Amino acid sequence: MVLSFSAAAKEEVCRSFPHHHCCALAQCFGILLFCNSFSADGVRIITESREFACILPKLFKKAFDVSFDTFPSMESPGKLVFQIVDEDKIYDIMESFGFSPEDTLSLHINLPVVEEECCRAAFLRGAFLAGGSVTDPVKGYHLELTTTHQSVARETFALMDEVLSFAPKLTDRSGNAVLYLKQSEKISDFLTFLGGSVAAMAIMETRLE
């Protein structure tokens, strides 16, 4: 099956697996804050990316030493669903980021988790893998990150502005906060920062053509 441009970009980004525990923690933080559900009731991550699905259990093992309670077969067609519902696991994950399971109504980016530059890249990598997409440059220039947490979107806006020297646009879509880029150079720079240099090069080549 031919991968979409977005799927191929995610596959490439997945190859930048974190070597250090702090980066694994930061990448999981990005995944959790931009995934389908992260609350005291549990974690629910839905993806169509097989490469992301393959590294997800390894990331959670490295960051928290926990395993998913339910996970799909890699042979399953369509969307793949990962879940954690065990209360002790949820508590350990929340505690890793300075949260309490009893108070998760307003999740935010805990700055010490993204203090180092390598951890900032890992965080944004996780955000893109869990809640991001990028349009095939032949059809147009558009990259976005979607989260259900408004405060997380504002803080990610500031983080991107700090580490990349440019900020995305921010909008609301059906109650979700969406950060997006529409300039080819910025999309290319962002993907390069995540480890997606081949996808970034494809965007610039399309622009030149």
Side-chain angles (χ1 to χ4, degrees):
M1 184 177 71
V2 178
L3 292 178
S4 68
F5 183 81
S6 189
K10 287 188 177 185
E11 184 177 276
E12 184 184 8
V13 168
C14 282
R15 294 177 195 142
S16 299
F17 193 85
H19 297 293
H20 303 293
H21 178 262
C22 62
C23 294
L25 197 66
Q27 187 158 333
C28 285
F29 201 21
I31 290 168
L32 289 165
L33 292 179
F34 283 81
C35 74
N36 302 82
S37 179
F38 174 41
S39 69
D41 295 327
V43 172
R44 183 176 173 86
I45 302 168
I46 303 175
T47 182
E48 292 184 353
S49 170
R50 265 47 190 174
E51 198 71 24
F52 180 37
C54 284
I55 69 166
L56 198 49
K58 300 174 187 175
L59 280 169
F60 272 65
K61 189 68 176 176
K62 189 176 183 72
F64 315 114
D65 195 27
V66 301
S67 56
F68 285 93
D69 295 322
T70 60
F71 48 87
S73 164
M74 291 300 112
E75 307 302 319
S76 302
K79 296 180 178 179
L80 306 173
V81 182
F82 293 81
Q83 294 187 100
I84 296 177
V85 294
D86 182 271
E87 290 183 1
D88 291 335
K89 293 179 183 179
I90 297 299
Y91 181 85
D92 289 343
I93 292 171
M94 292 286 187
E95 192 177 49
S96 297
F97 301 123
F99 299 139
S100 165
E102 293 79 29
D103 184 24
T104 57
L105 292 178
S106 182
L107 294 176
H108 61 90
I109 299 175
N110 192 343
L111 293 180
V113 179
V114 293
E115 190 171 2
E116 301 297 329
E117 184 173 348
C118 57
C119 294
R120 293 173 180 177
F123 174 85
L124 292 172
R125 196 174 294 126
F128 175 68
L129 290 173
S133 65
V134 57
T135 301
D136 188 324
V138 173
K139 300 176 181 177
Y141 304 118
H142 185 88
L143 181 147
E144 65 179 44
L145 305 172
T146 303
T147 176
T148 57
H149 311 289
Q150 298 291 333
S151 57
V152 168
R154 290 191 296 270
E155 291 164 351
T156 303
F157 175 98
L159 181 66
M160 289 177 67
D161 192 23
E162 182 178 348
V163 301
L164 297 166
S165 300
F166 60 79
K169 300 291 185 182
L170 182 58
T171 189
D172 184 85
R173 184 192 299 149
S174 303
N176 293 323
V178 181
L179 298 150
Y180 66 94
L181 299 169
K182 278 191 168 294
Q183 290 179 284
S184 59
E185 297 94 336
K186 291 180 179 179
I187 295 172
S188 180
D189 287 348
F190 181 66
L191 289 173
T192 299
F193 185 70
L194 300 186
S197 56
V198 174
M201 185 72 70
I203 289 172
M204 297 315 294
E205 287 177 351
T206 301
R207 181 174 181 269
L208 289 172
E209 288 172 5

